[in-house]
Amino acid sequence: MHRSKFEGVVCCLVNPGSRKHFWSLLAHALNKLDDKSQDGGSDLTQMALAEAKKRDGAVSTTIREWSFLGPFPIGKTEVDGDPVADFGGANQAFKDSLESSHVYRSELVSNGTLTWTTLKADGSGQVHVSPAIDWGDLVSSLGSTGIMEWQGWSVGEFYVNQEAVVLVRCLGVHTIYIDGLILAADIYRRERFWFSIHLPVGLHTMSIRLRAKVQQIYQCQLKQSGTMRFELHQPHFLPDFVEGQLVTPHLAMPIANHAVGKGLKNFRVTITDQSGKPSLAVSMASRDLEFSVAHGQVSFLHLMLESQSTSRKKDRCQEVVLTLKVSTATAHSQQINVKFRCRSKKESFIFTFEDHDGSIQHAAAIAPKKKCPTSGCPVLLTLHGTGVPPQNQADSYKRMKGKNWVFGLDTAWVLAPTRHGAHNWEGPGMLTPMTALQRLAQMASKVSWMPAVDARKVVFAGHSMGGHGAWHLATHYPDLALAVVSAAGWIAKEDYGDSNLFFRCSTI
């Protein structure tokens, strides 16, 4: 194509400055023409790219407009099936919709047919997906709210005006696809994990498979990674100091590798500053000395803390702040401040431990108020329901004495473990509290002020999901069970409201 034809593309456009992302769109069009051209045009493309970068930045920060296809039913037979697989997948179906009006079938809509619709994101990039369905009528027809569960696809486009490593964060969904390449998202909305991908200049497609009940809210953001090779995040949990003493050494430090195509290894961790006592030292756990983080991966450095104090005098209970520096073999480094609480032995406290699968987990505990027998005090092992932090679970065991709350029990330990995810205290979820029980006994044997633990005498307790867990653990470890206290606990998940209805029946 001749230069005059390229110039014609620009000259014929009216008032380009008023069109949002005009220069990015033009640069993308010219770039496509360059790919097909045999006689130049790259200088004009570069001019358009430069102007696009100036006006829109190197990378679109959000996707303002999405195309949505749904809702489709989701049930026992559809749980793993893609409703548009027969049409070449979501991306192909989206491209086809630009040229023809395909009709898709869904039993959730009144006329049984679906087409692509447009969704607008708000200023922060958040998208509300609320299909115009008469849910009340559907619920009445089935006699259950389970029919309000649906699936669908959302597809959007964004510009990259300079070849770069792009960091992507999508909250409220578990997986996204960029140009067909799968990336992890953040369904738990933790708002701190970004995932990296190397992208060339041009227009790119992001597609998201949605699964929701009534409505879905998600938010996607993008940014250029720059020179940042890796990123440290605040730990999800930290061990407490109790009576001025660090009771457990394990610390799981989240680290994200943003370097595409390059792994991270040969980590070195040091303390560059500390406020509060006792003085601490830090090291990598021995099993993690050969640890590596693949490109694009978020993982955890298993760090071990150790008190440097040789004095037998108890340190005053105070907050401890460490500045940790993590370096790699490539001389890249980052620092992060980590703040530890100090608790009295009358309060609940958090301890960390290495779980059965090598992961670092945490639990809350409250020591007995009175003296224990030589064999140790029994343990009230209490399991939380969905969304309840372990310390809240432990602190629910309290009573009023005068005008003050007294936490814990007179002659038994309170132990409230946790494990992230929908495990229902089964499988790995069952092994975690039993490991916490053993770790509590080991910890108490090493800390002078802690009463001994009799891990052979356990009261299994819990609420809701934890109530189910209490039944589950007690029936698997009956030789340890003194009693079972199950509050609002369910026996079979299928019979717990509508939470798993479509594992028994389907709308098909």
Side-chain angles (χ1 to χ4, degrees):
M1 184 176 287
H2 295 291
R3 174 183 296 275
S4 60
K5 294 185 179 180
F6 276 106
E7 292 170 347
V9 172
V10 179
C11 294
C12 290
L13 289 165
V14 180
N15 193 17
S18 66
R19 298 171 182 243
K20 191 169 182 62
H21 303 309
F22 163 80
W23 287 101
S24 294
L25 180 60
L26 176 62
H28 171 67
L30 291 173
N31 198 43
K32 286 291 186 183
L33 290 173
D34 279 352
D35 291 341
K36 299 178 181 180
S37 174
Q38 301 295 322
D39 54 356
S42 61
D43 54 343
L44 191 58
T45 303
Q46 292 304 315
M47 181 197 75
L49 281 171
E51 191 65 23
K53 184 179 177 183
K54 177 181 175 182
R55 292 173 179 264
D56 298 335
V59 179
S60 304
T61 55
T62 59
I63 298 175
R64 297 297 183 188
E65 185 173 291
W66 294 80
S67 294
F68 169 68
L69 183 62
F72 294 97
I74 188 166
K76 186 175 181 181
T77 57
E78 299 89 11
V79 69
D80 293 320
D82 181 355
V84 294
D86 288 343
F87 298 90
N91 283 3
Q92 187 59 48
F94 172 68
K95 292 177 183 177
D96 291 343
S97 71
L98 303 177
E99 302 176 359
S100 60
S101 55
H102 280 280
V103 175
Y104 305 88
R105 304 295 177 184
S106 172
E107 299 165 19
L108 296 180
V109 293
S110 57
N111 62 359
T113 61
L114 289 173
T115 58
W116 288 90
T117 57
T118 300
L119 302 174
K120 300 286 187 180
D122 65 16
S124 66
Q126 186 165 269
V127 182
H128 292 253
V129 188
S130 299
I133 302 296
D134 187 347
W135 296 112
D137 184 54
L138 291 174
V139 170
S140 298
S141 67
L142 184 65
S144 169
T145 60
I147 199 171
M148 299 163 73
E149 299 181 31
W150 56 265
Q151 63 177 318
W153 280 95
S154 201
V155 179
E157 295 177 320
F158 63 95
Y159 296 98
V160 173
N161 296 319
Q162 175 182 311
E163 183 177 355
V165 173
V166 177
L167 302 182
V168 186
R169 180 176 71 186
C170 285
L171 309 179
V173 292
H174 59 77
T175 306
I176 63 172
Y177 298 84
I178 293 183
D179 299 339
L181 181 66
I182 189 170
L183 285 179
D186 188 356
I187 196 170
Y188 297 111
R189 298 180 179 274
R190 291 163 291 184
E191 298 188 345
R192 52 182 177 173
F193 293 115
W194 297 78
F195 300 91
S196 59
I197 182 172
H198 183 271
L199 293 175
V201 169
L203 183 67
H204 299 274
T205 302
M206 182 186 297
S207 50
I208 306 174
R209 187 178 177 187
L210 304 177
R211 294 184 60 181
K213 189 170 185 177
V214 181
Q215 73 166 359
Q216 171 86 52
I217 300 175
Y218 66 90
Q219 180 185 32
C220 292
Q221 296 171 305
L222 305 99
K223 66 180 180 180
Q224 192 175 7
S225 70
T227 58
M228 183 171 58
R229 286 288 308 277
F230 68 89
E231 185 177 9
L232 298 176
H233 296 282
Q234 282 294 328
H236 301 312
F237 48 84
L238 293 167
D240 284 331
F241 283 77
V242 184
E243 299 290 330
Q245 181 179 1
L246 184 67
V247 293
T248 50
H250 304 281
L251 191 156
M253 176 66 70
I255 180 171
N257 182 4
H258 296 319
V260 174
K262 298 179 181 178
L264 294 175
K265 57 183 180 179
N266 297 333
F267 293 97
R268 182 171 180 266
V269 185
T270 56
I271 296 174
T272 60
D273 193 24
Q274 175 179 341
S275 64
K277 291 184 178 180
S279 297
L280 298 174
V282 65
S283 62
M284 293 280 293
S286 57
R287 68 176 179 83
D288 276 7
L289 293 178
E290 302 298 323
F291 178 76
S292 63
V293 183
H295 68 85
Q297 182 184 17
V298 178
S299 191
F300 298 87
L301 298 177
H302 183 180
L303 307 183
M304 300 292 289
L305 299 170
E306 182 181 0
S307 174
Q308 297 293 92
S309 175
T310 57
S311 172
R312 293 189 177 182
K313 183 179 178 182
K314 187 174 11 178
D315 288 302
R316 181 171 59 89
C317 195
Q318 58 184 306
E319 182 181 86
V320 176
V321 180
L322 297 181
T323 301
L324 296 174
K325 180 181 179 180
V326 176
S327 307
T328 67
T330 56
H332 288 83
S333 64
Q334 277 210 356
Q335 292 194 152
I336 190 169
N337 291 329
V338 181
K339 186 184 297 184
F340 298 84
R341 304 183 307 175
C342 188
R343 310 280 284 175
S344 78
K345 61 184 179 182
K346 296 180 180 180
E347 299 176 295
S348 61
F349 63 91
I350 299 295
F351 70 95
T352 54
F353 60 94
E354 186 171 352
D355 205 356
H356 62 91
D357 57 358
S359 64
I360 306 303
Q361 303 293 340
H362 68 298
I366 308 176
K369 303 304 173 191
K370 296 182 179 179
K371 187 176 180 181
C372 292
T374 306
S375 60
C377 275
V379 178
L380 173 70
L381 200 166
T382 177
L383 306 177
H384 62 75
T386 302
V388 180
Q391 186 167 337
N392 290 23
Q393 183 71 13
D395 285 344
S396 64
Y397 294 87
K398 59 183 182 288
R399 64 186 187 275
M400 289 293 294
K401 188 174 183 179
K403 295 183 178 181
N404 298 315
W405 286 109
V406 176
F407 294 89
L409 305 173
D410 285 342
T411 55
W413 277 89
V414 175
L415 173 62
T418 189
R419 186 179 178 96
H420 201 56
H423 49 73
N424 297 326
W425 301 110
E426 299 175 1
M430 178 180 69
L431 297 178
T432 293
M434 301 311 295
T435 304
L437 178 64
Q438 297 304 317
R439 299 292 186 262
L440 176 67
Q442 294 168 3
M443 175 179 64
S445 68
K446 297 176 182 178
V447 179
S448 59
W449 65 264
M450 286 188 179
V453 173
D454 188 347
R456 299 166 300 174
K457 297 179 180 179
V458 182
V459 175
F460 293 100
H463 172 256
S464 188
M465 179 179 76
H468 168 73
W471 285 118
H472 190 70
L473 265 69
T475 53
H476 281 73
Y477 297 93
D479 54 320
L480 305 181
L482 296 177
V484 180
V485 183
S486 177
W490 40 268
I491 302 300
K493 183 69 171 174
E494 289 79 6
D495 297 324
Y496 190 59
D498 291 319
S499 58
N500 248 6
L501 177 70
F502 283 131
F503 281 93
R504 290 193 302 161
C505 60
S506 171
T507 58
I508 300 298

